[in-house]
């Protein structure tokens, strides 16, 4: 048996353990600062220090108890925040203050003095309150459960990097008539503080002031002071894909210009920003400032995965803004506003701050048609009609307004149909001479008073109206939660059949919508009528040229199919419009064909025009001369 011997290595090891134990015990003893903090905390606990917290619903004062009662924790917290430790031990970080009116409720936390809950309760429609809900009948929240943060990052005189979103603000709530004011102060001393001041009246806009007093010398003015605002947008609609398409970041800059960040991940630095808005399709959070931010770094990040099941989606996009603030005399002073409310054109326009630009109505003429015609027209109709009926009536009025254009297009096609035999004869006669064929065809058009472009121009004139309507319906807040026939919500897709869980057709979806089917059928019959008329009016296909009749036949089947797939996830109000619009157009064309246009009279008129001397304008004369010169050059080359 081996004899045990003294091992000096073990002795050294045990000695080190003993030293570590002694050091650990000594380090756990509270410092003088910690002992003082413990005494202060115990005194605060005994006296039940309270602070008034407003509750507008009950018009009562709630007690706010101290939550930093642990001595070591309080001391370390004070040590970390340094000069801004005045509120520590006096203000509970867990408490919130509620300010609200009829349409909006905000909860502001003592921690960071920031909005931790923004609930859009409803809207005033025709003088009455109308509650707003999500697609699954839940309250509409823009901020809740930590999806947003707001704070100012600064450097103190002793070079501590602090973020106000983590610091305790002291609340003071007052009411003055319809105005509710909440002052949140982060104090260095009783007369030295950073203040967030919220003033709510009777709408969605809240006056928001950021100012400081006595911080000159407390804040390191040589270091940047950055305001950061982040938000993850909640899902509110039935279709994640559809809602995400209209969820983006908008901003105004450079004295009235506006722009936005696209759908993909993006980051952009802009100058002279006067407002920026996080739009969540039908709802928006907007920060406005009276003093333009010299620079702002804006970012958007798409959270939604294209393969993610729609039922599992909670957030759509993550928005962010970093804005350097200017210190004047070592102090902050910014008068701002915060809007949390509907992305409604009329509501945003009423503020006269160019906020209506956040509503995607289209650029140029498309936006003008929406602003000055479609929005006022629909607003007038929906004032006394249900939304679905208002869409039908508006569709009838738009189609009647465009009926002269439809008549001109159909008349041009009828004229081309009448002279088609003569065009065929010219093509046969000059089939080996393309230049001569073109000359004789142009002569025939001139004599008959027919223009092949006359049928295209009216159709092109309708495109701005169609595109404006395409932009109007997805952005019309008035359609949200409005039902019609089997459609529960005209701002979302209608469903007549839901596929079993896990089933989905690529590009189509996991459901069947009826309005797109009806619209596709109406488009098919409309295109069948117009395609047949256009084929009769088209010139015979020339050798080496594509067969237009075949292309038209393909379009007759392709367009309804595209409509069926594309609009299955779109707003049912838009599909309803196209369905009714095509039915009315078919009816107008049948009336024009059977009761207005007489092809025999058209033929007689064309023959009469042929006998009259046709005076060419300068352009026609120039074209004629060029064609004759080209033909002469061709003959000269052959010799």
């Amino acid at each position: 048996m081996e004899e045990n011997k003294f091992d000096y290595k073990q002795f050294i090891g045990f000695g080190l353990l003993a030293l570590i134990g002694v050091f650990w015990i000594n380090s756990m003893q509270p410092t003088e600062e910690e002992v003082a903090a413990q005494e202060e905390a115990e005194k605060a606990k005994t006296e039940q220090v309270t602070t008034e917290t407003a509750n507008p619903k009950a018009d009562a004062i709630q007690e706010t108890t101290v939550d930093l009662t642990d001595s070591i924790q309080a001391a370390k917290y004070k040590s970390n925040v340094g000069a801004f430790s005045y509120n520590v031990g006096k203000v509970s970080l867990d408490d919130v203050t509620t300010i609200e009116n009829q349409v909006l409720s905000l909860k502001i936390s003592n921690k960071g003095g920031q909005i931790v809950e923004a609930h859009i309760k409803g809207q005033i429609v025709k003088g009455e309150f109308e509650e707003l809900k999500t697609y699954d009948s839940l309250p509409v929240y823009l901020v809740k459960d930590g999806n947003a943060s707001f704070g100012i990052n600064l450097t103190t005189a002793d070079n501590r990097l602090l973020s106000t979103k983590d610091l305790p603000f002291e609340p003071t709530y007052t009411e003055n008539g319809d105005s509710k004011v909440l002052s949140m102060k982060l104090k260095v001393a009783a007369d030295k503080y950073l203040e967030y001041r919220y003033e709510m009246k009777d709408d969605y806009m809240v006056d928001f002031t950021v100012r400081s007093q006595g911080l000159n010398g407390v804040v390191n003015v040589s270091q940047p002071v950055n305001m950061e605002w982040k938000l993850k947008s909640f899902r509110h609609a039935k279709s994640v894909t559809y809602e995400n398409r209209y969820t983006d970041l908008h901003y105004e800059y450079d004295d009235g210009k506006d722009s936005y960040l696209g759908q993909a991940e993006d980051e952009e630095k802009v100058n002279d920003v006067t407002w920026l808005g996080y739009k969540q399709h039908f709802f928006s959070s907007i920060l406005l400032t009276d003093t333009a931010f010299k620079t702002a770094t804006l970012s958007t990040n798409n959270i939604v995965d294209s393969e993610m099941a729609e039922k599992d989606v909670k957030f759509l996009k993550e928005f962010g803004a970093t804005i350097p603030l200017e210190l004047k005399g070592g102090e902050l002073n910014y008068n701002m506003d915060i809007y949390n409310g509907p992305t409604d054109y009329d509501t945003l326009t009423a503020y006269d701050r160019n906020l209506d630009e956040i509503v995607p109505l289209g650029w140029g003429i498309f936006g003008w048609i929406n602003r000055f015609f479609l929005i006022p027209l629909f607003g007038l109709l929906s004032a006394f009609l249900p939304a679905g009926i208002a869409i039908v009536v508006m569709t009838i009025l738009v189609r009647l307004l465009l009926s002269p254009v439809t008549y001109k297009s159909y008349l041009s096609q009828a004229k081309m149909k009448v002279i088609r035999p003569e065009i065929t004869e010219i093509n046969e006669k000059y089939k080996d001479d393309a230049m001569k064929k073109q000359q004789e065809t142009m002569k025939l058009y001139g004599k008959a008073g027919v223009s092949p472009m006359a049928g295209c121009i009216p159709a092109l004139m309708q495109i701005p109206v169609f595109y404006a309507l395409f932009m109007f319906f997805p952005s019309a807040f008035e359609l949200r939660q409005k039902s019609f026939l089997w459609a529960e919500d005209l701002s979302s897709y209608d469903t007549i059949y839901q596929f079993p869980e896990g089933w989905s057709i690529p590009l189509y979806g996991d459901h069947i919508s009826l309005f797109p089917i009806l619209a596709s059928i109406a488009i098919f019959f409309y295109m069948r009528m117009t395609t047949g008329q256009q084929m009769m009016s088209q010139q015979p296909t020339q050798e080496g040229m594509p067969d237009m009749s075949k292309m038209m036949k393909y379009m007759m089947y392709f367009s309804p199919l595209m409509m069926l797939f594309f609009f299955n996830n779109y707003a049912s109000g838009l599909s309803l419009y196209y369905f009714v619009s095509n039915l009315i157009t078919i009816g107008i064309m049948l009336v024009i064909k059977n009761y207005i246009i007489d092809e025999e009279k058209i033929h007689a008129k064309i023959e009469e025009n042929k006998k009259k001397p046709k005076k060419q304008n300068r352009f026609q004369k120039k074209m004629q001369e060029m064609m004759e010169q080209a033909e002469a050059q061709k003959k000269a080359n052959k010799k």
Side-chain angles (χ1 to χ4, degrees), residues 214 427 445 529-530:
N427 288 340
Y445 287 154
M529 289 178 62
T530 56

Side-chain angles (χ1 to χ4, degrees), residues 244-248 260-265 300-302 317:
N244 196 45
R245 187 181 296 122
Y246 294 97
T247 297
D248 41 34
Y260 68 99
L261 298 187
Q263 293 297 309
E265 292 186 18
T300 178
N301 179 34
N302 199 0
K317 284 188 173 68

Side-chain angles (χ1 to χ4, degrees), residues 38 78 95 113 212 249 256 264 275 366 420 468 529 539 550:
Q38 183 177 10
K78 279 190 170 186
D95 284 350
S212 65
L249 190 157
W275 60 256
F366 311 117
R420 180 181 171 88
M529 289 178 62
Q539 296 186 32
K550 287 185 178 180

Side-chain angles (χ1 to χ4, degrees), residues 30 81 173 195 223 263 271 302 312 351 366 384 488 505:
V81 302
Y173 175 81
E195 180 186 24
Q223 297 297 319
Q263 293 297 309
N271 299 324
N302 199 0
D312 297 330
Y351 292 109
F366 311 117
F384 58 90
E488 297 178 353
I505 299 176

Side-chain angles (χ1 to χ4, degrees), residues 396-515:
I396 294 172
L397 294 175
V398 171
R399 292 314 309 169
L400 289 176
L401 189 65
L402 294 174
S403 59
V405 177
T406 305
Y407 170 75
K408 287 285 186 182
S409 178
Y410 200 93
L411 179 62
S412 174
Q413 293 175 11
K415 288 180 178 180
M416 292 293 294
K417 178 182 176 182
V418 168
I419 65 172
R420 180 181 171 88
E422 296 179 62
I423 295 176
T424 302
E425 184 179 338
I426 291 173
N427 288 340
E428 287 295 325
K429 185 176 180 179
Y430 300 104
K431 61 182 179 181
D432 297 327
D433 191 342
M435 185 65 70
K436 186 67 175 176
K437 185 195 304 181
Q438 187 67 22
Q439 286 180 336
E440 293 300 319
T441 302
M442 294 299 293
K443 285 181 182 179
L444 175 62
Y445 287 154
K447 288 180 181 180
V450 174
S451 172
M453 294 300 295
C456 300
I457 294 174
L460 292 174
M461 290 174 60
Q462 299 182 63
I463 291 178
V465 179
F466 292 153
Y467 183 77
L469 286 161
F470 182 79
M471 299 298 292
F472 167 76
F473 281 102
S475 305
F477 189 84
E478 300 92 329
L479 296 180
R480 191 177 181 277
Q481 297 181 330
K482 300 299 189 299
S483 61
F484 181 66
L485 298 178
W486 56 86
E488 297 178 353
D489 186 347
L490 288 169
S491 70
S492 186
Y493 57 80
D494 62 293
T495 305
I496 59 168
Y497 179 73
Q498 183 71 42
F499 294 150
E501 187 175 350
W503 283 60
S504 180
I505 299 176
L507 303 178
Y508 185 72
D510 60 356
H511 64 279
I512 297 176
S513 298
L514 183 54
F515 274 128

